Structures are given as C-alpha cells and as structure tokens.
C-alpha cells in the first residue's frame, strides 16, 4: 500500500511538472496563453504550431495513446452491460452450472 501511494505521488508530481514546463515554454517563446479559447488548448497549440514536425507527431501520438485507455474502459463497460442486461449471459452461466451440478 505504501509503495502504491509513493509511486502515485511521484507520478502526480511528474505530471504537474510537465504542465508547469508547458507554461514556462509558452512564456519563453512568446506564446500568448490569453489568446487561446481555453487554457486546455496550450498543449496542442505548442505541439502543432511551435515545434518541429517530429516532436509534434510524438506529442500527438502520446495524446492519442492516453485517450485509448479511457476509450477502452468505456467500451468494456458498455460491452459488459449489454451482455449481462440484454443477452442474459449471467443467467445462462447460472443455468449451465445448475445443469452440470445435476449431472
């Protein structure tokens, strides 16, 4: 438990540092954060408009990879819900266990 907590704290500090570094980079390179629609657009603004093509591609691939985990979790939940609620997988399993126990 303590190991998980310490790793979790270190990872959170790392992500906070990355966010701070984005703002430091923006300040040093004259990127006006107030001109963006929201502050959430700072990351794609830097990645797409202020870096060379290779770092921009790597940044956007990282952003895409981060969204896959969220999408995967949502699809798993939807699939499980559909199978249990509409296809009655849970009831079939119980019926199969009952049939096998009688044999």
């Amino acid at each position: 438990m303590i190991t998980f907590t310490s790793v979790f704290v270190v990872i959170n500090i790392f992500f906070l540092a990355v966010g701070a570094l984005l703002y430091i980079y923006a300040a040093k390179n004259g990127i006006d954060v107030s001109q963006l629609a929201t502050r959430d657009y700072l990351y794609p603004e830097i990645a797409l408009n202020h870096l060379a093509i290779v770092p921009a591609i790597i940044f956007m691939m990282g952003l895409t990879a981060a969204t896959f985990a969220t999408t995967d979790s949502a699809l798993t939940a939807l699939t499980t819900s559909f199978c249990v609620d509409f296809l009655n997988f849970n009831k079939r399993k119980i019926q199969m266990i009952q049939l096998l126990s009688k044999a």
Side-chain angles (χ1 to χ4, degrees):
M1 186 68 145
I2 292 174
T3 305
F4 173 75
T5 303
S6 59
V7 169
F8 191 70
V9 168
V10 168
I11 289 173
N12 276 325
I13 290 171
F14 171 75
F15 281 117
L16 285 171
V18 168
L21 288 172
L22 283 173
Y23 280 97
I24 292 169
Y25 181 87
K28 283 191 172 190
N29 291 300
I31 301 169
D32 190 9
V33 179
S34 64
Q35 295 292 327
L36 301 173
T38 66
R39 292 181 184 253
D40 293 332
Y41 290 130
L42 179 60
Y43 179 79
E45 173 70 23
I46 291 173
L48 296 176
N49 298 328
H50 298 280
L51 293 178
I53 189 72
V54 173
I57 290 173
I58 292 171
F59 270 46
M60 294 314 290
M61 285 173 52
L63 187 63
T64 304
T67 61
F68 281 147
T70 305
T71 305
D72 179 51
S73 299
L75 286 174
T76 301
L78 286 171
T79 303
T80 302
S81 175
F82 181 78
C83 289
V84 170
D85 293 341
F86 294 107
L87 300 179
N88 296 323
F89 274 20
N90 217 12
K91 292 178 185 176
R92 288 181 190 172
K93 185 177 180 180
I94 292 170
Q95 289 172 350
M96 187 64 84
I97 291 172
Q98 290 172 347
L99 284 174
L100 291 174
S101 64
K102 289 180 183 178

